[in-house]
Amino acid sequence: MSELKVYFIRHGLTDRNSRGRCCGRTDALVSEEGRAALHELYENYEYPVVEKVYASPAIRCRETASIFFPEQEPELLEGFWEYDFGEAEDRHVSELSKLTVFEKWLRQDMDCSFPGSETLLEAKFRVQAAMTRLIQDCIDGGLHEVAVVAHGEILYLLMSACLVTEEPMEAFQLCPNGMGYIAVLDKEGWFQEQKMIFAGYLPEGAERPKAEDSPYFSK
């Protein structure tokens, strides 16, 4: 077995996150509050030292990577971009709750799509393809520990499709900003099964806000 350990991290808080607005392809900055929270996490908890960092091209992911991995320039993978909300982009979740498609969104039905958006199934295939490209790069480079800085929905789609765990999948529904998951996988085996094994939450010991307490579920 050629083992690869991957540290998945969600980007820092943005103003749109705080206000419960759908922030998919909008290239929002990490907010001042979000940057302060990232620095606090970095100073108070242990984050890994990795051989390489991969990230969504979104500036909020690049900003987050620069705080947690200041000495490394991330390789940007388009497939790690957040879900494309189409015409629902930058709209408040309370507006979307009036749409008939919203219940499908809450259930995470794979055929769910907002007007002009991709389906969740398309987004899932996209992030799995990005993960496959990452793993091939790790094989070519002989890498064993890497980090991925990406987005809440895109990480959930990857975890729900590929993660082997005894944890309830609700625990992965909305990764807290600046936090994430640790997974291990067989690099060669990925191409047959596309599975990885849950190895813990990141950072260890940090209190994790619940998804239902976020503006996306509580308003």
Side-chain angles (χ1 to χ4, degrees), residues 65-108:
S66 71
I67 291 173
F68 290 141
F69 309 100
E71 304 300 323
Q72 293 169 273
E73 185 71 22
E75 178 170 335
L76 306 181
L77 294 179
E78 288 288 333
F80 284 130
W81 256 109
E82 181 59 297
Y83 176 74
D84 183 352
F85 284 96
E87 294 177 21
E89 182 71 28
D90 205 28
R91 292 174 62 183
H92 194 275
V93 68
S94 62
E95 297 180 65
L96 301 186
S97 66
K98 300 172 185 176
L99 303 177
T100 55
V101 72
F102 190 70
E103 287 301 320
K104 298 183 73 173
W105 169 259
L106 291 179
R107 294 194 304 267
Q108 292 286 283

Coordinates of all heavy atoms in Angstrom, one line a residue, residues 65-108:
A65 N -4.7 29.4 2.8 CA -3.4 28.6 2.7 C -2.2 29.4 3.1 O -1.3 28.9 3.7 CB -3.3 28.2 1.2
S66 N -2.2 30.7 2.8 CA -1.0 31.5 3.1 C -0.8 31.7 4.6 O 0.3 31.9 5.1 CB -1.1 32.9 2.5 OG -2.1 33.7 3.1
I67 N -1.9 31.6 5.4 CA -1.9 31.7 6.9 C -1.4 30.3 7.5 O -0.5 30.3 8.3 CB -3.2 32.1 7.4 CG1 -3.5 33.6 7.1 CG2 -3.2 31.9 9.0 CD1 -4.8 34.1 7.4
F68 N -2.0 29.2 7.0 CA -1.6 27.9 7.6 C -0.3 27.4 7.0 O 0.3 26.6 7.7 CB -2.8 27.0 7.4 CG -4.0 27.2 8.2 CD1 -5.3 27.1 7.6 CD2 -3.9 27.7 9.5 CE1 -6.4 27.3 8.4 CE2 -5.1 27.9 10.2 CZ -6.3 27.8 9.7
F69 N 0.0 27.7 5.8 CA 1.2 27.2 5.2 C 2.0 28.4 4.5 O 2.1 28.5 3.3 CB 0.8 26.2 4.1 CG -0.1 25.1 4.6 CD1 -1.5 25.2 4.4 CD2 0.4 24.0 5.4 CE1 -2.3 24.2 4.9 CE2 -0.5 23.1 5.9 CZ -1.8 23.1 5.6
P70 N 2.5 29.2 5.4 CA 3.1 30.5 4.9 C 4.3 30.3 4.0 O 4.7 31.2 3.2 CB 3.5 31.2 6.1 CG 3.6 30.2 7.2 CD 2.6 29.1 6.8
E71 N 5.0 29.2 4.0 CA 6.2 29.0 3.2 C 6.0 28.3 1.9 O 6.9 28.0 1.2 CB 7.2 28.2 4.1 CG 7.6 28.8 5.4 CD 8.2 30.2 5.3 OE1 9.0 30.4 4.3 OE2 7.9 31.0 6.1
Q72 N 4.7 27.9 1.6 CA 4.4 27.1 0.5 C 3.4 27.8 -0.4 O 2.3 28.3 0.0 CB 3.9 25.8 0.9 CG 4.9 24.9 1.6 CD 4.3 23.7 2.2 OE1 3.9 23.7 3.3 NE2 4.4 22.6 1.5
E73 N 3.7 27.8 -1.7 CA 2.7 28.4 -2.7 C 1.8 27.2 -3.2 O 2.3 26.2 -3.6 CB 3.5 28.9 -3.9 CG 2.6 29.6 -4.9 CD 2.0 30.9 -4.5 OE1 2.6 31.5 -3.5 OE2 1.0 31.4 -5.0
P74 N 0.5 27.3 -3.0 CA -0.3 26.2 -3.3 C -0.5 26.0 -4.8 O -0.4 26.9 -5.6 CB -1.7 26.6 -2.8 CG -1.7 28.1 -2.7 CD -0.2 28.4 -2.4
E75 N -0.6 24.7 -5.2 CA -1.0 24.4 -6.6 C -2.5 24.6 -6.7 O -3.3 24.0 -5.9 CB -0.6 23.0 -7.0 CG -1.0 22.7 -8.5 CD -0.4 21.4 -9.0 OE1 0.7 21.0 -8.5 OE2 -1.0 20.9 -10.0
L76 N -3.0 25.3 -7.7 CA -4.4 25.6 -7.8 C -5.1 24.6 -8.8 O -4.6 24.4 -9.9 CB -4.6 27.1 -8.3 CG -3.9 28.1 -7.5 CD1 -4.2 29.5 -8.1 CD2 -4.3 28.1 -6.0
L77 N -6.2 24.0 -8.3 CA -6.9 23.1 -9.1 C -8.3 23.6 -9.3 O -9.1 23.7 -8.3 CB -6.9 21.7 -8.4 CG -5.5 21.0 -8.3 CD1 -5.7 19.6 -7.6 CD2 -4.9 20.8 -9.7
E78 N -8.7 23.8 -10.6 CA -10.0 24.3 -10.9 C -11.1 23.5 -10.3 O -12.2 24.0 -10.0 CB -10.2 24.5 -12.4 CG -9.3 25.6 -13.0 CD -9.9 27.0 -12.7 OE1 -11.1 27.1 -12.5 OE2 -9.1 27.9 -12.7
G79 N -10.9 22.2 -10.3 CA -12.0 21.3 -9.8 C -12.4 21.4 -8.4 O -13.4 20.9 -7.9
F80 N -11.5 22.2 -7.6 CA -11.8 22.4 -6.2 C -12.6 23.7 -6.0 O -12.9 24.1 -4.8 CB -10.5 22.5 -5.4 CG -10.0 21.1 -5.1 CD1 -8.6 20.9 -5.4 CD2 -10.7 20.1 -4.6 CE1 -8.1 19.6 -5.1 CE2 -10.2 18.8 -4.4 CZ -8.9 18.6 -4.6
W81 N -13.0 24.4 -7.1 CA -13.8 25.6 -6.9 C -15.1 25.2 -6.2 O -15.6 24.1 -6.4 CB -14.2 26.2 -8.3 CG -13.4 27.5 -8.6 CD1 -12.5 27.6 -9.6 CD2 -13.6 28.8 -8.1 NE1 -12.0 28.9 -9.7 CE2 -12.7 29.6 -8.8 CE3 -14.4 29.3 -7.1 CZ2 -12.6 31.0 -8.5 CZ3 -14.4 30.7 -6.8 CH2 -13.5 31.5 -7.5
E82 N -15.7 26.2 -5.5 CA -17.0 25.9 -4.9 C -18.1 25.7 -5.9 O -18.0 25.9 -7.1 CB -17.4 27.1 -4.0 CG -18.7 27.1 -3.2 CD -18.8 25.9 -2.2 OE1 -18.7 24.7 -2.7 OE2 -18.9 26.1 -1.0
Y83 N -19.2 25.1 -5.4 CA -20.4 24.8 -6.2 C -20.9 26.1 -6.9 O -20.9 27.2 -6.3 CB -21.5 24.3 -5.3 CG -22.8 24.1 -6.0 CD1 -23.0 23.0 -6.8 CD2 -23.9 24.9 -5.7 CE1 -24.2 22.7 -7.4 CE2 -25.1 24.7 -6.3 CZ -25.3 23.6 -7.2 OH -26.5 23.4 -7.8
D84 N -21.3 26.0 -8.1 CA -21.7 27.1 -8.9 C -23.2 27.2 -8.7 O -24.0 26.4 -9.1 CB -21.4 26.8 -10.4 CG -21.9 28.0 -11.3 OD1 -22.5 28.9 -10.8 OD2 -21.5 27.9 -12.5
F85 N -23.7 28.3 -8.0 CA -25.1 28.5 -7.7 C -25.9 29.1 -8.8 O -27.1 29.3 -8.7 CB -25.2 29.4 -6.4 CG -24.9 28.7 -5.1 CD1 -23.6 28.8 -4.6 CD2 -25.8 27.9 -4.5 CE1 -23.3 28.1 -3.4 CE2 -25.5 27.3 -3.3 CZ -24.3 27.4 -2.7
G86 N -25.3 29.4 -9.9 CA -26.0 30.0 -11.0 C -26.7 31.3 -10.6 O -26.1 32.2 -10.0
E87 N -28.0 31.4 -10.9 CA -28.8 32.6 -10.6 C -29.0 32.8 -9.1 O -29.4 33.9 -8.7 CB -30.1 32.6 -11.3 CG -30.0 32.7 -12.9 CD -31.3 32.6 -13.6 OE1 -32.4 32.8 -12.9 OE2 -31.3 32.2 -14.8
A88 N -28.7 31.8 -8.3 CA -28.9 31.9 -6.9 C -27.6 32.5 -6.2 O -27.6 32.7 -5.0 CB -29.2 30.5 -6.3
E89 N -26.6 32.7 -7.0 CA -25.3 33.2 -6.5 C -25.6 34.6 -5.8 O -26.3 35.5 -6.3 CB -24.3 33.4 -7.6 CG -23.0 33.9 -7.2 CD -22.2 32.9 -6.4 OE1 -22.4 31.7 -6.6 OE2 -21.3 33.3 -5.6
D90 N -25.0 34.7 -4.6 CA -25.0 35.9 -3.7 C -26.4 36.2 -3.2 O -26.6 37.3 -2.8 CB -24.4 37.1 -4.5 CG -23.8 38.1 -3.5 OD1 -23.5 37.7 -2.3 OD2 -23.8 39.3 -3.8
R91 N -27.3 35.3 -3.3 CA -28.7 35.5 -2.7 C -28.7 34.9 -1.3 O -28.0 34.0 -1.0 CB -29.7 34.9 -3.6 CG -29.9 35.6 -4.9 CD -30.9 34.8 -5.8 NE -32.2 34.8 -5.3 CZ -33.2 34.1 -5.8 NH1 -33.0 33.5 -7.0 NH2 -34.4 34.1 -5.3
H92 N -29.5 35.6 -0.4 CA -29.6 35.1 0.9 C -30.4 33.8 1.0 O -31.3 33.5 0.2 CB -30.3 36.1 1.8 CG -30.2 35.9 3.3 ND1 -31.0 35.1 4.0 CD2 -29.3 36.4 4.2 CE1 -30.7 35.0 5.2 NE2 -29.6 35.8 5.4
V93 N -30.0 32.9 1.9 CA -30.6 31.6 2.0 C -32.1 31.7 2.3 O -32.9 30.9 1.9 CB -29.9 30.8 3.1 CG1 -30.2 31.4 4.5 CG2 -30.4 29.3 3.1
S94 N -32.6 32.8 2.9 CA -34.0 33.0 3.2 C -34.8 33.2 1.9 O -35.9 32.8 1.7 CB -34.3 34.2 4.1 OG -33.8 35.4 3.5
E95 N -34.1 33.8 0.8 CA -34.7 33.9 -0.5 C -34.8 32.5 -1.2 O -35.9 32.2 -1.8 CB -33.9 34.8 -1.4 CG -33.8 36.3 -0.9 CD -33.0 37.1 -1.9 OE1 -33.4 37.2 -3.1 OE2 -31.9 37.5 -1.5
L96 N -33.8 31.7 -1.0 CA -33.8 30.4 -1.7 C -34.8 29.5 -1.0 O -35.3 28.6 -1.7 CB -32.3 29.8 -1.6 CG -31.2 30.6 -2.2 CD1 -29.9 29.9 -2.2 CD2 -31.6 31.1 -3.7
S97 N -35.0 29.7 0.2 CA -35.9 28.8 0.9 C -37.4 28.8 0.4 O -38.2 27.9 0.6 CB -36.0 29.1 2.4 OG -36.5 30.4 2.7
K98 N -37.6 29.8 -0.4 CA -39.0 30.0 -1.1 C -39.1 29.2 -2.4 O -40.1 29.1 -2.9 CB -39.3 31.5 -1.3 CG -39.3 32.3 0.0 CD -39.4 33.8 -0.4 CE -39.2 34.7 0.9 NZ -39.2 36.1 0.6
L99 N -37.9 28.7 -2.9 CA -37.9 28.0 -4.1 C -38.2 26.5 -3.9 O -37.8 25.9 -2.8 CB -36.6 28.1 -4.8 CG -36.1 29.5 -5.1 CD1 -34.7 29.5 -5.7 CD2 -37.0 30.2 -6.1
T100 N -38.9 25.9 -4.8 CA -39.2 24.4 -4.6 C -38.0 23.6 -4.6 O -38.0 22.5 -4.0 CB -40.2 24.0 -5.7 OG1 -39.5 24.3 -7.0 CG2 -41.5 24.7 -5.7
V101 N -36.9 24.0 -5.3 CA -35.7 23.3 -5.3 C -34.9 23.2 -4.0 O -34.0 22.4 -3.8 CB -34.8 23.8 -6.4 CG1 -34.2 25.2 -6.0 CG2 -33.6 22.8 -6.8
F102 N -35.3 24.1 -3.1 CA -34.6 24.3 -1.8 C -34.6 23.0 -1.0 O -33.6 22.6 -0.4 CB -35.1 25.5 -1.0 CG -34.2 25.8 0.2 CD1 -32.9 26.4 0.0 CD2 -34.6 25.6 1.5 CE1 -32.1 26.7 1.0 CE2 -33.8 25.9 2.5 CZ -32.6 26.5 2.3
E103 N -35.7 22.3 -1.0 CA -35.8 21.1 -0.2 C -34.9 20.0 -0.8 O -34.3 19.2 0.0 CB -37.3 20.6 -0.2 CG -38.2 21.4 0.7 CD -37.8 21.4 2.1 OE1 -37.4 20.4 2.6 OE2 -37.9 22.5 2.7
K104 N -34.7 20.0 -2.1 CA -33.8 19.1 -2.7 C -32.4 19.4 -2.3 O -31.5 18.6 -2.1 CB -33.9 19.1 -4.2 CG -35.3 18.6 -4.7 CD -35.3 18.6 -6.2 CE -34.6 17.4 -6.8 NZ -34.8 17.3 -8.2
W105 N -32.1 20.7 -2.2 CA -30.8 21.2 -1.7 C -30.5 20.7 -0.3 O -29.4 20.2 0.0 CB -30.7 22.7 -1.8 CG -29.5 23.3 -1.2 CD1 -29.5 23.9 0.1 CD2 -28.2 23.4 -1.7 NE1 -28.2 24.3 0.3 CE2 -27.4 24.0 -0.7 CE3 -27.6 23.0 -2.9 CZ2 -26.0 24.2 -0.9 CZ3 -26.3 23.2 -3.1 CH2 -25.5 23.8 -2.1
L106 N -31.5 20.9 0.6 CA -31.3 20.5 2.0 C -31.0 19.0 2.1 O -30.3 18.5 2.9 CB -32.5 20.8 2.8 CG -32.7 22.3 3.1 CD1 -34.0 22.6 3.9 CD2 -31.5 23.0 3.8
R107 N -31.7 18.2 1.2 CA -31.5 16.7 1.2 C -30.2 16.4 0.4 O -29.8 15.2 0.5 CB -32.7 16.1 0.5 CG -34.0 16.2 1.3 CD -35.0 15.2 0.7 NE -35.3 15.3 -0.7 CZ -36.2 16.1 -1.3 NH1 -37.0 16.8 -0.5 NH2 -36.3 16.1 -2.6
Q108 N -29.6 17.3 -0.3 CA -28.5 17.1 -1.1 C -28.8 16.0 -2.2 O -27.9 15.1 -2.4 CB -27.3 16.7 -0.2 CG -26.7 17.8 0.7 CD -26.0 18.8 -0.1 OE1 -24.8 18.6 -0.5 NE2 -26.6 20.0 -0.4

